[in-house]
Amino acid sequence: MRSVTPTSSRTVTEINMAVTADHIRDKIIKELAAVHVDVEDTSPNRCAASFKVLVVSSQFEGKPLLQRHRMVNTCLAEELKEIHAFEQKTLTPEQWEKQKSQ
Amino acid sequence: MNSLIRSTARCLRAGAAVYLPRQADGRVLAASARLLCAAADLQKDLGNMVKKDKVVVFMKGTPAQPMCGFSNAVVQILRMHGVDDYAAYNVLEDQDLREGVKVFSNWPTIPQVYFNGEFVGGCDILLQMHQNGDLVEELKKLGIHSALLETEKESK
């Protein structure tokens, strides 16, 4: 007779860890063709997932700030349901180069 | 702390369904239908709220006592520009408002700023507009003369 090892608790933990900095970074790169992404986990504690992101993408060219931010919000729609606080900076590659040289 | 309050509110809401009055034939009015009506009313109210005043802010806490760093930043920026007369709604006082305004604006976080009934953005956007001079321009369109223009004049 074989005993069944309960794996449900471990699976639940893995699901809760889904919204991580890496996950966010990968999703942004994939969906917004970002050339550079910085994701900072600013969560003060485990209970309040907070992130600060810098996204550099040519898809932002010619788009006003609000539209750029909405693009990022749409990309992370599922994740944002779990995230408590979210800061974002959206730059075109040109703006980013200029910022770096300052 | 917030999650405790949230889960309590959720329990209370779920519990309310148990005490629904039964109709004569024993049918129970669906709680979900009533909740949906309340939610739709809120969306309509929000439509009026954002148009009633030139500058409207949905925030955590009040301008006198902000309860969140991002909400505080919005209050400080507006104050810097001499904008003291605006409508501020405290989402911490009303969980339905807190969730409803996110649906209304299609924006996931608080604070949220509206100019002339149009969604401007959150703290990030307001800060960038303040830094690049756009905020002074937008306030001018609202007929609000930014206090920062005065200081610029004085320094020249």
Side-chain angles (χ1 to χ4, degrees):
Chain A
M1 266 195 291
R2 231 198 272 154
S3 59
V4 180
T5 321
T7 55
S8 52
S9 55
R10 186 147 47 91
T11 317
V12 166
T13 314
E14 281 165 15
I15 291 169
N16 284 342
M17 298 296 277
V19 184
T20 62
D22 285 334
H23 172 87
I24 290 174
R25 185 182 303 115
D26 291 342
K27 207 166 186 201
I28 292 175
I29 290 175
K30 195 171 84 165
E31 294 188 22
L32 297 177
V35 298
H36 180 86
V37 180
D38 274 337
V39 180
E40 190 187 329
D41 187 333
T42 58
S43 311
N45 54 57
R46 291 256 129 206
C47 301
S50 308
F51 292 94
K52 183 172 177 172
V53 304
L54 162 67
V55 184
V56 181
S57 168
S58 51
Q59 288 186 9
F60 293 146
E61 299 275 357
K63 294 202 171 78
L65 258 185
L66 181 58
Q67 204 174 339
R68 298 183 188 188
H69 284 224
R70 285 206 187 275
M71 282 167 70
V72 176
N73 288 352
T74 304
C75 167
L76 298 173
E78 284 305 307
E79 290 74 10
L80 282 164
K81 291 183 192 163
E82 313 293 326
I83 290 174
H84 174 78
F86 187 67
E87 290 173 83
Q88 53 168 308
K89 199 156 194 157
T90 48
L91 302 171
T92 59
E94 192 188 329
Q95 287 172 324
W96 188 51
E97 289 304 319
K98 201 194 264 182
Q99 193 181 268
K100 277 198 287 187
S101 60
Q102 277 169 352
Chain B
M1 185 61 174
N2 275 342
S3 55
L4 179 64
I5 294 171
R6 236 180 285 139
S7 54
T8 309
R10 233 180 285 137
C11 289
L12 284 171
R13 255 182 273 152
V18 178
Y19 299 104
L20 281 174
R22 289 188 176 273
Q23 297 198 300
D25 60 355
R27 277 188 301 134
V28 175
L29 287 170
S32 52
R34 275 202 271 120
L35 281 171
L36 280 172
C37 282
D41 285 338
L42 176 61
Q43 294 299 306
K44 207 173 67 178
D45 288 340
L46 283 166
N48 293 331
M49 282 155 79
V50 301
K51 295 201 189 91
K52 222 168 35 143
D53 298 276
K54 276 188 196 170
V55 178
V56 178
V57 178
F58 295 92
M59 59 181 288
K60 293 185 180 175
T62 64
Q65 200 173 24
M67 300 292 274
C68 140
F70 302 126
S71 289
N72 184 37
V74 167
V75 169
Q76 295 307 320
I77 291 171
L78 289 174
R79 187 169 297 154
M80 260 193 265
H81 287 261
V83 184
D84 284 313
D85 189 20
Y86 57 92
Y89 297 98
N90 184 358
V91 304
L92 294 179
E93 281 181 352
D94 184 347
Q95 191 59 22
D96 288 330
L97 174 66
R98 185 174 179 173
E99 297 310 311
V101 74
K102 292 178 189 175
V103 171
F104 181 78
S105 311
N106 189 18
W107 190 261
T109 50
I110 306 289
Q112 297 188 5
V113 180
Y114 277 82
F115 285 171
N116 255 359
E118 202 178 303
F119 183 63
V120 172
C123 166
D124 287 340
I125 290 180
L126 203 72
L127 181 60
Q128 286 177 63
M129 285 171 69
H130 164 68
Q131 287 169 336
N132 65 20
D134 283 349
L135 185 53
V136 171
E137 287 306 309
E138 290 303 311
L139 288 174
K140 201 187 280 181
K141 288 186 202 164
L142 295 176
I144 297 175
H145 186 81
S146 169
L148 292 182
L149 284 173
E150 294 304 321
T151 48
E152 272 177 35
K153 256 192 253 163
E154 280 164 27
S155 63
K156 285 208 180 111

